[in-house]
Amino acid sequence: MRHLLSLADWPREWIEETIEQGLQIKRDPCQVARALEGRVLLMLFQKPSLRTRLSFEVAMLQMGGHAIFYDLGTSPWGKGKESLADVARTASRYVDAIMARLFQQADLEELAAHASVPVINGLTDHEHPCQVLGDLMTIREKKGRWRGLKLAYVGDGHNNVTHSLLLGGAKVGLNVSVGCPEGPDFEPDPAVLQRAREAARQTGAVIEVVHEARGAVAQADIVYTDTWMSYHIPPEERSARERRLRPFQVTADLLRQARPDVVFMHCLPAERGAEVTEDVIDGPHSIVFDQAENRLHIQKAILLRLLGPRAPV
Ligand code: CP
Ligand code: NVA
């Protein structure tokens, strides 16, 4: 059974082929217009979503299938009345694939262990692989390659998007420099860093973590940031986090440390004035809405890889 739980599990070839197919689908969406006719995707949510929900739902509709949105808070599991294993076994009898946005990566793994259909990680506290497949597609589209480019991620490094960028970037040969405050609350998970560095040995990618924003961004081709208040962070932590993260805000001045043709990326939702200033996210280097659009094209390629039949690459 093929799942997409973590980019650590996906070989480089799958990543590259899926992105290649995403680019082809973007050029000619009609080629896959009936590829998933009659197929059903179940979308389980424990957290809010705009992009992930809409892009998966539209992707299924545009390929002739259907998607069901299900708020897990209203499920028997959410009410403490049923195990996740039984949810997985039951849902597998009705649907062709399950996409889940959960808090715990361990819960996602439990779901996948008991499902007899493919399970897709639609974001956990630990990883966001669909986002990063779309992001790597966007980088490929804008810059024509990954190898030799430098992506500087600045801000909260102990973050699902950062983890997937490290794992995915290392596998395709993209250099990833994380600029974040010191300490386990803000630095990437050491186990993710180790996996990324192992993958980087195969591709020659440079993976580094520094505690200074300007150093991270120096000569970068891509500057990336994410919210300081991820969905799972309690609101009472806001002011303490803002104090630590403020030196890592992406400003026009910081962006000037990067290459002149730098692109600015953000997975969204963004908080203007926190992790990024308005002039940057709405400025000429920003590609955040092209990036958001590519979620749709890459979701189709992910679904086709896991559900087939695959359109010719
Ligand atoms: N980037 C992303 O996953 O956005 P949503 O939380 O709106 O799905
Ligand atoms: N790190 C963010 C990503 C949102 C798409 C979060 O988990 O809320």
Side-chain angles (χ1 to χ4, degrees):
M1 178 60 57
R2 280 181 179 180
H3 299 295
L4 173 53
L5 307 181
S6 161
L7 284 185
D9 310 330
W10 266 39
R12 180 182 56 81
E13 298 74 40
W14 291 17
I15 294 176
E16 293 191 358
E17 287 165 16
T18 304
I19 291 168
E20 186 53 40
Q21 188 161 24
L23 289 164
Q24 285 203 18
I25 291 169
K26 183 170 184 172
R27 284 193 288 273
D28 179 15
C30 293
Q31 67 173 299
V32 294
R34 303 180 67 161
L36 293 184
E37 202 155 37
R39 315 292 283 280
V40 178
L41 173 71
L42 174 63
M43 308 191 295
L44 304 175
F45 283 92
Q46 268 189 316
K47 302 180 185 180
S49 175
L50 175 72
R51 282 143 287 268
T52 304
R53 177 181 174 178
L54 294 184
S55 58
F56 269 110
E57 189 159 339
V58 173
M60 285 303 291
L61 284 171
Q62 290 183 347
M63 294 194 292
H66 182 77
I68 299 171
F69 170 81
Y70 192 18
D71 171 3
L72 271 169
T74 66
S75 71
W77 179 64
K79 303 286 181 203
K81 301 238 175 255
E82 191 171 35
S83 71
L84 209 46
D86 284 357
V87 172
R89 290 184 190 109
T90 306
S92 297
R93 302 291 179 105
Y94 304 139
V95 303
D96 299 283
I98 301 171
M99 186 275 287
R101 169 165 287 196
L102 305 178
F103 288 95
Q104 300 299 325
Q105 184 78 16
D107 283 343
L108 184 80
E109 281 161 14
E110 167 91 2
L111 192 70
H114 297 281
S116 53
V117 296
V119 173
I120 300 169
N121 180 350
L123 179 149
T124 61
D125 297 0
H126 196 251
E127 260 206 71
H128 199 359
C130 298
Q131 175 70 51
V132 166
L133 289 172
D135 294 343
L136 292 174
M137 171 179 161
T138 305
I139 292 167
R140 180 67 190 281
E141 186 182 37
K142 299 284 179 190
K143 299 278 183 188
R145 66 196 163 103
W146 298 299
R147 282 192 190 238
L149 296 181
K150 175 180 177 181
L151 180 146
Y153 176 96
V154 279
D156 175 16
H158 192 81
N159 172 293
N160 38 25
V161 173
T162 323
H163 291 159
S164 296
L165 280 170
L166 283 163
L167 293 165
K171 286 196 181 185
V172 301
L174 178 68
N175 302 322
V176 181
S177 177
V178 177
C180 62
E182 243 176 307
D185 288 347
F186 298 105
E187 289 171 18
D189 179 337
V192 169
L193 268 178
Q194 193 187 329
R195 293 294 293 266
R197 287 192 168 123
E198 280 163 22
R201 273 199 284 279
Q202 313 290 315
T203 57
V206 178
I207 301 294
E208 62 171 13
V209 178
V210 298
H211 300 300
E212 201 261 318
R214 294 173 95 83
V217 167
Q219 292 303 309
D221 300 277
I222 302 125
V223 171
Y224 198 124
T225 191
D226 185 11
T227 178
W228 295 341
M229 292 298 294
S230 283
Y231 294 128
H232 63 281
I233 307 279
E236 56 272 22
E237 290 184 20
R238 176 181 282 273
S239 61
R241 290 176 66 83
E242 283 183 355
R243 259 196 313 281
R244 295 292 309 279
L245 286 160
R246 184 65 60 187
F248 297 87
Q249 184 186 56
V250 180
T251 61
D253 179 48
L254 183 65
L255 214 57
R256 277 193 283 276
Q257 308 307 309
R259 293 174 55 89
D261 61 350
V262 65
V263 291
F264 171 74
M265 297 180 74
H266 191 309
C267 58
L268 305 178
E271 203 178 325
R272 287 167 171 76
E275 72 274 7
V276 59
T277 54
E278 198 165 353
D279 54 346
V280 169
I281 193 166
D282 298 326
H285 296 282
S286 176
I287 57 166
V288 299
F289 296 109
D290 293 334
Q291 183 185 357
E293 178 190 327
N294 284 341
R295 297 292 307 278
L296 171 64
H297 309 298
I298 203 73
Q299 310 307 29
K300 290 181 181 170
I302 293 166
L303 289 163
L304 290 172
R305 170 161 285 276
L306 297 177
L307 283 172
R310 290 178 55 208
V313 169

PDB file of all heavy atoms in Angstrom, residues 47 101 123-124 128 131 159-161 226-227 229-232 267-269, ligand 2:
ATOM      1  N   LYS A  47      -8.087  20.274  12.241  1.00  0.00           N
ATOM      2  CA  LYS A  47      -7.627  21.665  12.297  1.00  0.00           C
ATOM      3  C   LYS A  47      -8.259  22.438  11.141  1.00  0.00           C
ATOM      4  O   LYS A  47      -8.727  21.821  10.179  1.00  0.00           O
ATOM      5  CB  LYS A  47      -6.107  21.729  12.122  1.00  0.00           C
ATOM      6  CG  LYS A  47      -5.285  20.952  13.117  1.00  0.00           C
ATOM      7  CD  LYS A  47      -3.799  21.140  12.789  1.00  0.00           C
ATOM      8  CE  LYS A  47      -2.921  20.299  13.672  1.00  0.00           C
ATOM      9  NZ  LYS A  47      -1.493  20.477  13.372  1.00  0.00           N
ATOM     10  N   ARG A 101      -5.848  15.681   8.096  1.00  0.00           N
ATOM     11  CA  ARG A 101      -5.116  16.786   8.750  1.00  0.00           C
ATOM     12  C   ARG A 101      -5.314  16.610  10.252  1.00  0.00           C
ATOM     13  O   ARG A 101      -6.405  16.842  10.780  1.00  0.00           O
ATOM     14  CB  ARG A 101      -5.648  18.137   8.278  1.00  0.00           C
ATOM     15  CG  ARG A 101      -5.105  19.279   9.114  1.00  0.00           C
ATOM     16  CD  ARG A 101      -5.299  20.627   8.477  1.00  0.00           C
ATOM     17  NE  ARG A 101      -4.399  20.816   7.358  1.00  0.00           N
ATOM     18  CZ  ARG A 101      -4.126  22.003   6.808  1.00  0.00           C
ATOM     19  NH1 ARG A 101      -4.684  23.093   7.273  1.00  0.00           N
ATOM     20  NH2 ARG A 101      -3.297  22.091   5.792  1.00  0.00           N
ATOM     21  N   LEU A 123      -1.282  17.545   6.609  1.00  0.00           N
ATOM     22  CA  LEU A 123      -0.590  18.343   7.645  1.00  0.00           C
ATOM     23  C   LEU A 123      -0.799  17.681   9.008  1.00  0.00           C
ATOM     24  O   LEU A 123      -1.918  17.340   9.392  1.00  0.00           O
ATOM     25  CB  LEU A 123      -1.098  19.790   7.701  1.00  0.00           C
ATOM     26  CG  LEU A 123      -0.501  20.763   8.744  1.00  0.00           C
ATOM     27  CD1 LEU A 123      -0.499  22.202   8.233  1.00  0.00           C
ATOM     28  CD2 LEU A 123      -1.244  20.695  10.061  1.00  0.00           C
ATOM     29  N   THR A 124       0.311  17.484   9.677  1.00  0.00           N
ATOM     30  CA  THR A 124       0.313  17.160  11.120  1.00  0.00           C
ATOM     31  C   THR A 124       1.183  18.211  11.787  1.00  0.00           C
ATOM     32  O   THR A 124       1.813  19.033  11.104  1.00  0.00           O
ATOM     33  CB  THR A 124       0.934  15.772  11.385  1.00  0.00           C
ATOM     34  OG1 THR A 124       2.293  15.792  10.926  1.00  0.00           O
ATOM     35  CG2 THR A 124       0.168  14.649  10.691  1.00  0.00           C
ATOM     36  N   HIS A 128       4.303  18.500   6.605  1.00  0.00           N
ATOM     37  CA  HIS A 128       3.302  18.969   5.636  1.00  0.00           C
ATOM     38  C   HIS A 128       3.801  18.605   4.231  1.00  0.00           C
ATOM     39  O   HIS A 128       4.157  19.476   3.431  1.00  0.00           O
ATOM     40  CB  HIS A 128       3.108  20.477   5.787  1.00  0.00           C
ATOM     41  CG  HIS A 128       1.836  21.006   5.189  1.00  0.00           C
ATOM     42  ND1 HIS A 128       0.922  20.199   4.530  1.00  0.00           N
ATOM     43  CD2 HIS A 128       1.332  22.277   5.133  1.00  0.00           C
ATOM     44  CE1 HIS A 128      -0.082  20.958   4.103  1.00  0.00           C
ATOM     45  NE2 HIS A 128       0.136  22.208   4.461  1.00  0.00           N
ATOM     46  N   GLN A 131       2.261  20.182   0.896  1.00  0.00           N
ATOM     47  CA  GLN A 131       2.691  21.571   0.717  1.00  0.00           C
ATOM     48  C   GLN A 131       4.059  21.620   0.043  1.00  0.00           C
ATOM     49  O   GLN A 131       4.273  22.358  -0.931  1.00  0.00           O
ATOM     50  CB  GLN A 131       2.781  22.250   2.108  1.00  0.00           C
ATOM     51  CG  GLN A 131       3.323  23.657   2.069  1.00  0.00           C
ATOM     52  CD  GLN A 131       2.353  24.627   1.435  1.00  0.00           C
ATOM     53  OE1 GLN A 131       1.188  24.674   1.811  1.00  0.00           O
ATOM     54  NE2 GLN A 131       2.807  25.412   0.481  1.00  0.00           N
ATOM     55  N   ASN A 159       8.893  23.205  12.972  1.00  0.00           N
ATOM     56  CA  ASN A 159       7.655  23.493  12.251  1.00  0.00           C
ATOM     57  C   ASN A 159       7.463  22.415  11.175  1.00  0.00           C
ATOM     58  O   ASN A 159       8.433  21.957  10.561  1.00  0.00           O
ATOM     59  CB  ASN A 159       7.863  24.900  11.642  1.00  0.00           C
ATOM     60  CG  ASN A 159       6.805  25.343  10.695  1.00  0.00           C
ATOM     61  OD1 ASN A 159       6.647  24.776   9.615  1.00  0.00           O
ATOM     62  ND2 ASN A 159       6.085  26.375  11.064  1.00  0.00           N
ATOM     63  N   ASN A 160       6.187  22.060  10.952  1.00  0.00           N
ATOM     64  CA  ASN A 160       5.864  21.020   9.971  1.00  0.00           C
ATOM     65  C   ASN A 160       6.380  21.350   8.559  1.00  0.00           C
ATOM     66  O   ASN A 160       6.948  20.492   7.872  1.00  0.00           O
ATOM     67  CB  ASN A 160       4.343  20.774   9.954  1.00  0.00           C
ATOM     68  CG  ASN A 160       3.535  22.052  10.122  1.00  0.00           C
ATOM     69  OD1 ASN A 160       4.009  23.144   9.799  1.00  0.00           O
ATOM     70  ND2 ASN A 160       2.317  21.920  10.620  1.00  0.00           N
ATOM     71  N   VAL A 161       6.204  22.603   8.142  1.00  0.00           N
ATOM     72  CA  VAL A 161       6.635  22.977   6.786  1.00  0.00           C
ATOM     73  C   VAL A 161       8.162  22.927   6.701  1.00  0.00           C
ATOM     74  O   VAL A 161       8.725  22.414   5.728  1.00  0.00           O
ATOM     75  CB  VAL A 161       6.079  24.374   6.411  1.00  0.00           C
ATOM     76  CG1 VAL A 161       6.650  24.853   5.088  1.00  0.00           C
ATOM     77  CG2 VAL A 161       4.551  24.329   6.350  1.00  0.00           C
ATOM     78  N   ASP A 226       7.027  30.997   7.485  1.00  0.00           N
ATOM     79  CA  ASP A 226       5.711  30.460   7.834  1.00  0.00           C
ATOM     80  C   ASP A 226       5.255  31.175   9.105  1.00  0.00           C
ATOM     81  O   ASP A 226       6.057  31.819   9.799  1.00  0.00           O
ATOM     82  CB  ASP A 226       5.834  28.934   8.058  1.00  0.00           C
ATOM     83  CG  ASP A 226       4.490  28.253   8.302  1.00  0.00           C
ATOM     84  OD1 ASP A 226       3.430  28.889   8.102  1.00  0.00           O
ATOM     85  OD2 ASP A 226       4.502  27.070   8.711  1.00  0.00           O
ATOM     86  N   THR A 227       3.992  31.022   9.421  1.00  0.00           N
ATOM     87  CA  THR A 227       3.432  31.652  10.618  1.00  0.00           C
ATOM     88  C   THR A 227       4.236  31.304  11.872  1.00  0.00           C
ATOM     89  O   THR A 227       4.806  30.219  11.971  1.00  0.00           O
ATOM     90  CB  THR A 227       1.963  31.218  10.813  1.00  0.00           C
ATOM     91  OG1 THR A 227       1.473  31.802  12.012  1.00  0.00           O
ATOM     92  CG2 THR A 227       1.810  29.704  10.923  1.00  0.00           C
ATOM     93  N   MET A 229       2.585  31.246  14.623  1.00  0.00           N
ATOM     94  CA  MET A 229       1.518  30.685  15.460  1.00  0.00           C
ATOM     95  C   MET A 229       0.794  29.574  14.690  1.00  0.00           C
ATOM     96  O   MET A 229      -0.362  29.726  14.290  1.00  0.00           O
ATOM     97  CB  MET A 229       0.522  31.787  15.865  1.00  0.00           C
ATOM     98  CG  MET A 229       1.101  32.819  16.824  1.00  0.00           C
ATOM     99  SD  MET A 229       1.617  32.120  18.418  1.00  0.00           S
ATOM    100  CE  MET A 229       0.047  31.602  19.083  1.00  0.00           C
ATOM    101  N   SER A 230       1.496  28.468  14.480  1.00  0.00           N
ATOM    102  CA  SER A 230       0.881  27.326  13.798  1.00  0.00           C
ATOM    103  C   SER A 230      -0.406  26.917  14.507  1.00  0.00           C
ATOM    104  O   SER A 230      -0.583  27.213  15.690  1.00  0.00           O
ATOM    105  CB  SER A 230       1.865  26.148  13.794  1.00  0.00           C
ATOM    106  OG  SER A 230       2.851  26.350  12.818  1.00  0.00           O
ATOM    107  N   TYR A 231      -1.258  26.211  13.766  1.00  0.00           N
ATOM    108  CA  TYR A 231      -2.587  25.855  14.288  1.00  0.00           C
ATOM    109  C   TYR A 231      -2.540  25.197  15.675  1.00  0.00           C
ATOM    110  O   TYR A 231      -3.452  25.362  16.470  1.00  0.00           O
ATOM    111  CB  TYR A 231      -3.293  24.895  13.320  1.00  0.00           C
ATOM    112  CG  TYR A 231      -3.653  25.490  11.971  1.00  0.00           C
ATOM    113  CD1 TYR A 231      -3.269  24.851  10.791  1.00  0.00           C
ATOM    114  CD2 TYR A 231      -4.399  26.657  11.860  1.00  0.00           C
ATOM    115  CE1 TYR A 231      -3.610  25.366   9.545  1.00  0.00           C
ATOM    116  CE2 TYR A 231      -4.749  27.181  10.619  1.00  0.00           C
ATOM    117  CZ  TYR A 231      -4.354  26.529   9.458  1.00  0.00           C
ATOM    118  OH  TYR A 231      -4.696  27.034   8.227  1.00  0.00           O
ATOM    119  N   HIS A 232      -1.470  24.443  15.941  1.00  0.00           N
ATOM    120  CA  HIS A 232      -1.437  23.680  17.206  1.00  0.00           C
ATOM    121  C   HIS A 232      -0.814  24.468  18.365  1.00  0.00           C
ATOM    122  O   HIS A 232      -0.775  23.985  19.481  1.00  0.00           O
ATOM    123  CB  HIS A 232      -0.663  22.369  17.014  1.00  0.00           C
ATOM    124  CG  HIS A 232       0.786  22.565  16.651  1.00  0.00           C
ATOM    125  ND1 HIS A 232       1.188  22.878  15.364  1.00  0.00           N
ATOM    126  CD2 HIS A 232       1.905  22.511  17.388  1.00  0.00           C
ATOM    127  CE1 HIS A 232       2.508  22.978  15.344  1.00  0.00           C
ATOM    128  NE2 HIS A 232       2.970  22.765  16.556  1.00  0.00           N
ATOM    129  N   CYS A 267       3.761  29.426   2.808  1.00  0.00           N
ATOM    130  CA  CYS A 267       2.720  28.415   2.536  1.00  0.00           C
ATOM    131  C   CYS A 267       1.323  28.977   2.725  1.00  0.00           C
ATOM    132  O   CYS A 267       0.370  28.405   2.209  1.00  0.00           O
ATOM    133  CB  CYS A 267       2.938  27.200   3.433  1.00  0.00           C
ATOM    134  SG  CYS A 267       2.931  27.607   5.181  1.00  0.00           S
ATOM    135  N   LEU A 268       1.201  30.073   3.487  1.00  0.00           N
ATOM    136  CA  LEU A 268      -0.071  30.696   3.861  1.00  0.00           C
ATOM    137  C   LEU A 268      -0.873  29.731   4.766  1.00  0.00           C
ATOM    138  O   LEU A 268      -0.737  28.536   4.589  1.00  0.00           O
ATOM    139  CB  LEU A 268      -0.902  31.090   2.633  1.00  0.00           C
ATOM    140  CG  LEU A 268      -0.198  31.992   1.605  1.00  0.00           C
ATOM    141  CD1 LEU A 268      -1.149  32.263   0.419  1.00  0.00           C
ATOM    142  CD2 LEU A 268       0.235  33.318   2.232  1.00  0.00           C
ATOM    143  N   PRO A 269      -1.673  30.188   5.707  1.00  0.00           N
ATOM    144  CA  PRO A 269      -2.041  31.584   5.938  1.00  0.00           C
ATOM    145  C   PRO A 269      -0.897  32.394   6.567  1.00  0.00           C
ATOM    146  O   PRO A 269      -0.125  31.870   7.360  1.00  0.00           O
ATOM    147  CB  PRO A 269      -3.220  31.474   6.919  1.00  0.00           C
ATOM    148  CG  PRO A 269      -3.014  30.185   7.654  1.00  0.00           C
ATOM    149  CD  PRO A 269      -2.351  29.276   6.672  1.00  0.00           C
TER     150      PRO A 269
HETATM  151  N1  NVA B   2       2.911  25.655  10.179  1.00  0.00           N
HETATM  152  C1  NVA B   2       1.570  26.005   9.828  1.00  0.00           C
HETATM  153  C2  NVA B   2       1.258  25.619   8.427  1.00  0.00           C
HETATM  154  C3  NVA B   2      -0.120  26.002   7.959  1.00  0.00           C
HETATM  155  C4  NVA B   2      -0.401  25.531   6.570  1.00  0.00           C
HETATM  156  C5  NVA B   2       0.592  25.345  10.773  1.00  0.00           C
HETATM  157  O1  NVA B   2       0.819  24.196  11.166  1.00  0.00           O
HETATM  158  O2  NVA B   2      -0.383  25.985  11.137  1.00  0.00           O
END
